[in-house]
Amino acid sequence: MKLNQALAQFRTVFDFGGREVAHWFPGHMAKGLKQMRASLKSVDCIIEIHDARIPFSGRNPVFQETLDVKPHMLILNKMDLADMSHKQAIMKTLGKNGMRNVLFTDCLKQRDDNIKKLVPMVMEIIQSSPRFNRDENTNYCLMVIGVPNVGKSSLINSLRRTNLKKGRASRVGGEPGITKAVLTKIQVCERPVIHLLDTPGVLPPKIESVETGMKLALCGTILDHLVGEDVIADYLLYSLNRLGKFSYVEKYDLQEPSDDIQHVLKRIAVKLGKTQRVKAITGVGNITVTIPNYTAAAYHFIRAFRKGELGQVMLD
């Protein structure tokens, strides 16, 4: 009863401090978008990849304009980090919005059975649509698009590993912006011959809301320092409590769930030994004191979420 009373007093909405989305989450259109459009005539199918934890939030609406002119499918990657009990509801909502070719993947897994389904699905999509000027071409070309850090390069490497038994061709990383090159062409299948055009991540020209921007930041599609690790960590704590995901309590030796980010970060800093020495001015001179390193603790908290150490969640 005591726990339920405490939870009842937790925040039901997150205070964004009156920030305006355009100033806090400045969207950008990479030069690659023009080249993507220019290359469409040689593309048979578009693969849009997004984070499975936010299946609706943050998908670039500019991509929708591009998708309308070509067969396409949606890959919801990082399914290992998502609460898949919501899968049917997600598929139903996407279906209502006209998105029926959907595949959940875990591209970092050495053997992902869902990746094996991708080529047959793509071929079925292509063969049920006119190829116009590419009818005589027996080779196929796919374009991979998405916002930053959702796993485009990991998808390419996973396809090569599955279909060609070869190592990675694209560099992957835990931060957005790893892929800088525009339209790098990479073979991912031999029978039939399929190439993928890898593209850099492109954020929407305008994030639709501060809440959407924060979900994108929490999932690592926006560089942390642009938003602030302290704010992202606080939104993470709010989200975990709202979803009833309290694994952080045991992980960081808390006595009970908390809605106070400073209290949680202090416990994380103490547990991990993340402290810093600072000078304090007193009436009798300066002294050096040891205090928790809240920034380091916030960074660790966020990283633990992104690695799935705080449980599987669905933020949408």
Side-chain angles (χ1 to χ4, degrees):
M1 184 65 182
K2 184 179 179 182
L3 176 59
N4 289 335
Q5 289 176 340
L7 295 178
Q9 297 175 8
F10 283 7
R11 292 169 289 181
T12 56
V13 294
F14 189 80
D15 182 10
F16 293 106
R19 291 177 171 89
E20 293 183 18
V21 65
H23 296 143
W24 202 12
F25 298 104
H28 68 272
M29 300 307 297
K31 65 178 182 180
L33 191 58
K34 285 185 178 179
Q35 290 172 281
M36 289 180 208
R37 285 176 172 153
S39 300
L40 277 178
K41 62 180 179 295
S42 64
V43 171
D44 296 298
C45 184
I46 290 177
I47 309 285
E48 180 189 0
I49 185 166
H50 201 61
D51 194 310
R53 293 169 293 183
I54 46 173
F56 313 119
S57 292
R59 288 178 59 202
N60 194 332
V62 178
F63 290 155
Q64 305 305 312
E65 301 168 14
T66 304
L67 294 177
D68 284 343
V69 300
K70 286 287 179 179
H72 63 278
M73 70 180 299
L74 174 65
I75 303 290
L76 291 174
N77 192 37
K78 306 186 181 183
M79 63 178 289
D80 56 310
L81 305 177
D83 184 350
M84 294 302 290
S85 65
H86 299 270
K87 181 179 177 180
Q88 293 305 317
I90 291 168
M91 296 290 282
K92 187 175 181 179
T93 301
L94 289 171
K96 286 181 180 178
N97 295 328
M99 183 61 69
R100 292 179 176 81
N101 301 309
V102 182
L103 187 65
F104 286 83
T105 62
D106 173 10
C107 290
L108 292 180
K109 193 175 179 181
Q110 282 299 310
R111 292 178 62 85
D112 180 7
D113 289 337
N114 285 352
I115 286 292
K116 296 177 182 178
K117 301 175 184 177
L118 193 146
V119 169
M121 284 182 68
V122 165
M123 292 308 301
E124 184 177 342
I125 294 169
I126 293 173
Q127 290 168 2
S128 63
S129 308
R131 293 183 74 201
F132 300 109
N133 62 313
R134 292 181 53 77
D135 272 341
E136 304 302 319
N137 199 325
T138 56
N139 294 351
Y140 298 91
C141 183
L142 317 178
M143 183 184 288
V144 183
I145 62 176
V147 298
N149 201 31
V150 289
K152 293 184 296 297
S153 297
S154 296
L155 172 68
I156 291 171
N157 294 333
S158 184
L159 282 168
R160 282 174 59 82
R161 193 165 57 240
T162 300
N163 299 313
L164 298 177
K165 311 303 179 188
K166 292 185 178 180
R168 71 184 193 183
S170 291
R171 185 183 166 207
V172 298
E175 290 189 347
I178 291 294
T179 301
K180 299 281 197 304
V182 176
L183 302 180
T184 303
K185 194 171 184 179
I186 302 166
Q187 184 173 353
V188 296
C189 191
E190 185 65 43
R191 295 183 181 179
V193 175
I194 298 179
H195 288 85
L196 286 187
L197 292 178
D198 191 10
T199 64
V202 180
L203 285 169
K206 181 181 179 183
I207 307 293
E208 60 189 63
S209 69
V210 175
E211 185 90 31
T212 293
M214 189 58 70
K215 290 178 183 178
L216 287 168
L218 183 52
C219 290
T221 67
I222 298 172
L223 291 169
D224 292 344
H225 71 269
L226 297 179
V227 182
E229 286 88 348
D230 56 335
V231 182
I232 298 174
D234 194 17
Y235 184 76
L236 170 57
L237 180 64
Y238 158 77
S239 298
L240 292 174
N241 287 335
R242 177 175 60 87
L243 295 169
K245 304 286 186 177
F246 303 123
S247 62
Y248 70 89
V249 174
E250 182 178 355
K251 182 174 178 63
Y252 298 118
D253 296 339
L254 275 70
Q255 292 185 339
E256 59 186 6
S258 173
D259 199 31
D260 182 352
I261 188 59
Q262 293 300 312
H263 171 68
V264 172
L265 293 182
K266 184 176 181 179
R267 291 300 309 160
I268 294 174
V270 170
K271 179 175 176 61
L272 301 177
K274 294 186 179 296
T275 58
Q276 57 186 351
R277 296 174 65 81
V278 298
K279 287 186 178 180
I281 301 174
T282 68
V284 293
N286 297 345
I287 61 172
T288 301
V289 297
T290 300
I291 64 171
N293 188 330
Y294 289 99
T295 300
Y299 179 75
H300 184 277
F301 190 36
I302 296 165
R303 291 281 291 178
F305 165 76
R306 290 175 183 163
K307 290 160 64 176
E309 296 174 1
L310 302 180
Q312 297 171 315
V313 303
M314 188 64 69
L315 295 172
D316 279 348

